[in-house]
Amino acid sequence: MPELPEVETVRRGLAPYLEGRSLVRVDVRRADLRIPVPRDFAGRATNRRVERLWRRGKYLLMELDDGATIIAHLGMSGRLVLAGNGVNGQGRHDHVSFETEDGTHIVFNDPRRFGLITLAGPGDLENHPLLAAMGPEPLDPAFDGAVISAALRTRSASIKAALLDQHVMAGIGNIYACEALFRARISPRRKAKGVAGQRAERLVLALKQVLTEAIEAGGSSLRDHRRPDGGLGYFQHSFAVYGREGEPCPGCNCDRDETGGIRRMVQGGRSTFFCSRRQR
DNA sequence: CGGCAAACCTGCGAGC
DNA sequence: TGCTCGCAGGTTTGCC
């Protein structure tokens, strides 16, 4: 499910229930996620207070009062939801659950188990292998044309592939890569190193805008994404190209013919949606 | 380094 | 109704 806006939506939804609260009970019902939940996970998290719920790229991070940090990634199908919204903590794919001191139950549910929950000890987060090499946050004010140009300058891969590479920048997935390239009018086939100057400026602006708008809309609910309260995001209604193969291009209104309309191609095994007339 | 395919795992919709 | 196929928002690994 989750790219940066969806993870940020989850963070915002859960923060009021977690920040400043102690975890009085932690249950691991299934530990064989993408990387195994550590054996001592429940013991190390129980009776710790959550100081801060924050996000790095697509990772949700729960900083605990002993300096350790719970690391969660939702993979393709993961959810972190408040119990009671169709999830009770006992379901087939309810793998980990947390209960806070005021009786709130939060459940990590992930049918495909591409997600993970683990824990970094005090001081270990910065060097944690999952996070250490991650690129900059696209919504950081310091993320600008110069930063993105420097990150892309050495990359001969396509710009679409570069956007999906979490070492280049953090949090972009297939949907927002397609949407940002459309807004920036850049061909997904263009070499990443060819995105500099004005193109880089347009791309930075497009990324910031599409991510911000998506967060404001509560993310995109296609198959799996739910807000922590069970509610739907609705940014999917604002997609310009993603999943719109065969439709007229909303930018130039070109219709489906030799050169126009929204087309789908496969890059690196992932679908790319684009308008070859508008994106160069 | 790059590009690609496959692997991880389950569910869903389309088509027959 | 029921089966098979293809596809899915992510990431890693291995091969050429």
Side-chain angles (χ1 to χ4, degrees):
Chain A
M1 110 190 171
E3 304 181 33
L4 188 156
E6 289 73 40
V7 179
E8 179 61 21
T9 299
V10 172
R11 189 197 69 75
R12 292 182 183 190
L14 291 179
Y17 298 93
L18 282 172
E19 289 184 338
R21 310 290 167 84
S22 288
L23 303 173
V24 297
R25 181 163 178 181
V26 178
D27 283 318
V28 179
R29 302 180 65 236
R30 182 148 192 178
D32 57 335
L33 308 181
R34 178 157 65 82
I35 64 174
V37 181
R39 264 189 244 291
D40 58 355
F41 177 82
R44 290 165 71 189
T46 303
N47 292 325
R48 300 255 68 104
R49 189 176 63 245
V50 178
E51 299 285 14
R52 183 164 70 113
L53 181 64
W54 59 295
R55 179 189 59 70
R56 178 78 173 93
K58 301 173 189 173
Y59 289 92
L60 266 177
L61 303 166
M62 270 187 244
E63 183 184 325
L64 305 180
D65 60 358
D66 64 346
T69 300
I70 295 173
I71 303 172
H73 192 289
L74 301 177
M76 292 275 266
S77 59
R79 303 190 211 177
L80 262 171
V81 289
L82 297 166
N85 299 290
V87 174
N88 62 11
Q90 305 301 308
R92 181 146 110 90
H93 303 302
D94 295 345
H95 306 314
V96 180
S97 57
F98 303 90
E99 181 182 351
T100 67
E101 57 188 312
D102 57 353
T104 301
H105 287 75
I106 292 165
V107 178
F108 176 74
N109 173 288
D110 184 8
R112 294 175 74 178
R113 283 186 285 124
F114 287 177
L116 64 90
I117 289 194
T118 188
L119 189 145
D124 293 345
L125 188 64
E126 300 218 347
N127 300 317
H128 196 285
L130 291 172
L131 301 169
M134 197 162 5
E137 287 289 324
L139 292 179
D140 187 326
F143 184 79
D144 61 12
V147 170
I148 198 174
S149 297
L152 298 173
R153 190 157 45 219
T154 62
R155 302 256 166 182
S156 57
S158 71
I159 183 62
K160 167 77 185 311
L163 289 176
L164 294 179
D165 186 338
Q166 303 298 298
H167 304 293
V168 173
M169 67 190 75
I172 308 303
N174 204 37
I175 290 177
Y176 297 103
C178 292
E179 294 294 318
L181 288 170
F182 175 79
R183 289 186 183 213
R185 305 182 65 154
I186 295 169
S187 168
R189 290 194 182 97
R190 177 175 285 275
K191 300 282 185 206
K193 62 175 60 168
V195 176
Q198 281 301 319
R199 279 197 191 86
E201 299 292 344
R202 291 209 308 271
L203 183 54
V204 165
L205 195 62
L207 285 163
K208 287 179 186 283
Q209 284 181 347
V210 74
L211 295 173
T212 300
E213 290 173 25
I215 291 168
E216 287 170 356
S220 306
S221 293
L222 291 187
R223 294 163 191 80
D224 301 308
H225 173 61
R226 290 285 123 65
R227 309 195 325 188
D229 62 1
L232 298 170
Y234 49 90
F235 189 73
Q236 65 275 14
H237 303 302
S238 301
F239 292 166
V241 290
Y242 187 84
R244 296 194 182 280
E245 182 180 17
E247 296 183 21
C249 165
C252 51
N253 263 330
C254 59
D255 213 334
R256 176 172 38 174
D257 56 27
E258 300 268 319
T259 56
I262 305 304
R263 296 198 293 165
R264 184 178 84 96
M265 66 176 167
V266 176
Q267 290 178 289
R270 317 287 307 273
S271 289
T272 299
F273 298 90
F274 67 111
C275 169
S276 60
R277 181 158 174 268
R278 187 172 177 79
Q279 296 173 249
R280 298 290 172 160

